[in-house]
Amino acid sequence: MLNIVLFGPPGAGKGTQSERLIEKYNLVHLSTGDVFRANIKGETELGKLAKSYMDAGQLVPDAVTIDMLRSEVAKHSDPKGFIFDGFPRTNAQAQALDEFLSSLNTSISLMLALEVEEQELKTRLLKRAEVSGRADDADPAVIEKRISVYNQETAPVKAFYQAQEKFVAIDGIGSIDDITQRLFAAIDTTI
Ligand code: AMP
């Protein structure tokens, strides 16, 4: 299996690039943010719980997120692999993902980390708010919070994959096509 963690701060382009990667490599796209938003729309218990955290730009608690991720993975029989988009966001999630994949006799192949500087992220998120309808994109204070949560809680996850020699940084500035080519090149040198 080809299991990729597509990593990066909010607004780095993970969702956009995931669409291209799943098409080329025939992978399952698993975005924890998308699953939470679908649950909010469906007014499920999980959605109600997640909403308060998401609206505030905070992380949904690990236990809830990890359980949800496991059940999403289990929905797919015999996949070629997964793109994990927006997960793991903490070291505890990364550890749980390793253990879970190992129980399925597979593992993370690599982490591709899209690198984009902060001012550009803010500009992109505010622009995305015009079309995404996401409350967490429209409010500059929530954007600030999400970026600071990323810096404090999520960025350290890089070291987890660096220690396993699975970390690859990708320049996330440029045209969408150029960035896709960089991701393809990084994957093709690994597989
Ligand atoms: P995203 O769509 O990836 O930008 O995620 C939107 C929001 O969903 C985040 O700001 C968090 O509140 C929540 N979320 C998504 N993925 C995770 C995760 N792996 N751990 C905790 N919270 C998450």
Side-chain angles (χ1 to χ4, degrees):
M1 279 170 78
L2 175 63
N3 296 311
I4 295 171
V5 173
L6 190 56
F7 194 75
K14 300 187 293 293
T16 305
Q17 296 297 338
S18 288
E19 294 306 323
R20 291 161 171 235
L21 298 182
I22 55 167
E23 208 171 291
K24 178 160 161 96
Y25 299 98
N26 214 349
L27 305 173
V28 174
H29 181 202
L30 221 163
S31 154
T32 42
D34 285 352
V35 177
F36 285 137
R37 280 183 288 277
N39 276 274
I40 291 173
K41 215 171 165 197
E43 297 180 357
T44 67
E45 286 305 312
L46 175 63
K48 282 178 206 156
L49 188 149
K51 189 175 187 316
S52 54
Y53 294 98
M54 292 170 76
D55 286 350
Q58 287 166 347
L59 295 183
V60 178
D62 279 339
V64 176
T65 306
I66 291 164
D67 272 359
M68 181 272 263
L69 190 278
R70 286 199 195 106
S71 61
E72 287 299 317
V73 168
K75 284 181 185 170
H76 301 274
S77 63
D78 206 19
K80 285 210 162 31
F82 291 92
I83 301 272
F84 296 100
D85 162 5
F87 186 96
R89 265 176 153 99
T90 63
N91 275 327
Q93 291 180 14
Q95 187 64 47
L97 181 62
D98 262 15
E99 285 164 16
F100 179 55
L101 291 179
S102 157
S103 77
L104 301 174
N105 292 317
T106 186
S107 59
I108 290 298
S109 315
L110 80 163
M111 168 188 264
L112 297 170
L114 291 168
E115 298 191 331
V116 177
E117 44 92 18
E118 243 172 74
Q119 195 47 50
E120 170 73 10
L121 296 173
K122 291 176 188 166
T123 308
R124 286 188 191 180
L125 289 169
L126 286 171
K127 195 152 174 250
R128 185 169 80 182
E130 293 167 14
V131 289
S132 72
R134 281 177 56 170
D136 62 346
D137 285 346
D139 182 342
V142 176
I143 291 177
E144 285 289 346
K145 178 70 186 167
R146 287 160 69 203
I147 293 174
S148 99
V149 166
Y150 172 82
N151 288 332
Q152 282 167 30
E153 298 184 54
T154 303
V157 177
K158 286 181 203 171
F160 183 91
Y161 293 97
Q162 270 163 340
Q164 298 184 11
E165 297 182 2
K166 291 177 177 172
F167 175 85
V168 181
I170 303 286
D171 179 2
I173 299 284
S175 75
I176 292 175
D177 284 346
D178 284 349
I179 298 163
T180 304
Q181 291 310 319
R182 290 173 204 151
L183 291 167
F184 287 172
I187 294 169
D188 292 341
T189 53
T190 308
I191 56 177

